[in-house]
Amino acid sequence: MTELTIPTRVLIVEDDPNIVDLIRSNLAVRGFDTCVSGDGSKALALLDTEQPDIVLLDLMLPEVDGFELCRLIRERSAVAIIVVSARGGERDKVTALNMGADDYMTKPFGIEELLARILATLRRTRPAEAGEQTVPSVITIGDIQIDLTGQQVRRAGTVVHLTPTEFALLRELALHRGKLLSRAHLLRRVWGRGYETETEYVRVYIRRLRAKLEPPGAAPLIITQPRAGYRIAGD
């Protein structure tokens, strides 16, 4: 597990013991710590006590709506969330992303694909190591101030809470201020290689950024060029 330089804890929210055993055993041999919840209330308790780095969340849980649980987790924490569900429709995927999920996998899945998704999500949601590349420490666009070192965003002096994936997307746009970036570019840079066709990921997360950073009546911060991509406002 060369890509993980610090201990990584995974919260598995799944009520099928066969799937739990499959995931736990394969993650254990790769150096992950795991904890398991078969229901939503216990999952929220474990979120507080275990402080996981990533949550693998099934949507079809007993006595709880998986989408609502995703929303509750996101309200409490910026922890990475990968939905792993038998529900493979695009509407389900978009709903999960709207509720704050970072990624979405459909059952049945291969364990190597799951591992790749976990690693890609962790790279995106963990702070970058210092000295990784030469970038400005703070980018200011109008009344938006983006602290790349502290991974914090302020609008008119007030802190705006972004998830790690939202921040990663904003960071990529801001570092190429004024330049049109294709959806494939954003997917590759923010989510990783292999995500280039997941265009709904970009649409959902651009919408989430606009809701947090563009007050009603203000000039748009993020500009859409139909069928081409997005760019952040220039000077």
Side-chain angles (χ1 to χ4, degrees):
M1 182 60 64
T2 57
E3 292 192 55
L4 297 176
T5 58
I6 59 176
T8 301
R9 175 159 293 182
V10 181
L11 170 57
I12 305 167
V13 187
E14 170 65 65
D15 66 328
D16 185 329
N18 294 321
I19 295 178
V20 169
D21 288 345
L22 172 69
I23 295 175
R24 289 192 80 169
S25 60
N26 279 278
L27 292 184
V29 299
R30 291 167 170 85
F32 291 90
D33 294 327
T34 58
C35 51
V36 178
S37 173
D39 64 75
S41 59
K42 182 182 176 184
L44 292 176
L46 288 173
L47 188 69
D48 294 331
T49 60
E50 298 296 327
Q51 296 291 304
D53 300 284
I54 191 165
V55 177
L56 304 182
L57 174 62
D58 183 26
L59 292 178
M60 300 173 68
L61 297 167
E63 302 179 6
V64 67
D65 178 80
F67 295 118
E68 176 66 9
L69 180 57
C70 184
R71 185 186 68 80
L72 291 172
I73 292 173
R74 179 54 69 225
E75 280 187 351
R76 294 176 179 226
S77 173
V79 66
I81 303 172
I82 300 179
V83 169
V84 185
S85 176
R87 299 169 64 163
E90 183 173 346
R91 180 177 295 180
D92 292 318
K93 182 184 292 187
V94 170
T95 300
L97 293 171
N98 277 323
M99 294 297 166
D102 296 283
D103 201 353
Y104 193 105
M105 286 186 65
T106 303
K107 299 176 182 175
F109 57 87
I111 198 66
E112 292 301 326
E113 180 188 1
L114 176 62
L115 180 64
R117 298 265 186 146
I118 290 172
L119 293 176
T121 301
L122 288 173
R123 283 194 295 269
R124 182 168 67 251
T125 57
R126 280 177 167 167
E129 295 182 4
E132 188 176 81
Q133 55 179 315
T134 302
V135 297
S137 59
V138 176
I139 296 175
T140 301
I141 304 171
D143 64 353
I144 303 294
Q145 187 179 67
I146 306 165
D147 180 351
L148 299 181
T149 303
Q151 294 201 0
Q152 188 177 77
V153 176
R154 293 178 180 271
R155 187 182 74 192
T158 301
V159 173
V160 179
H161 295 286
L162 301 184
T163 69
T165 298
E166 290 168 350
F167 185 87
L169 179 57
L170 179 63
R171 179 182 187 274
E172 185 66 20
L173 288 164
L175 285 174
H176 298 86
R177 185 175 181 181
K179 180 180 179 181
L180 179 67
L181 302 180
S182 69
R183 293 182 179 89
H185 170 94
L186 292 170
L187 285 161
R188 186 168 56 251
R189 292 287 298 168
V190 177
W191 279 267
R193 294 191 179 277
Y195 286 82
E196 288 89 349
T197 62
E198 302 280 4
T199 55
E200 66 270 32
Y201 282 42
V202 176
R203 289 198 300 269
V204 169
Y205 270 83
I206 288 290
R207 186 162 61 244
R208 290 171 64 88
L209 283 177
R210 284 173 170 155
K212 292 183 176 184
L213 298 175
E214 296 181 4
L221 174 69
I222 301 170
I223 300 164
T224 303
Q225 185 163 326
R227 296 181 295 279
Y230 303 91
R231 62 182 174 87
I232 207 160
D235 293 323

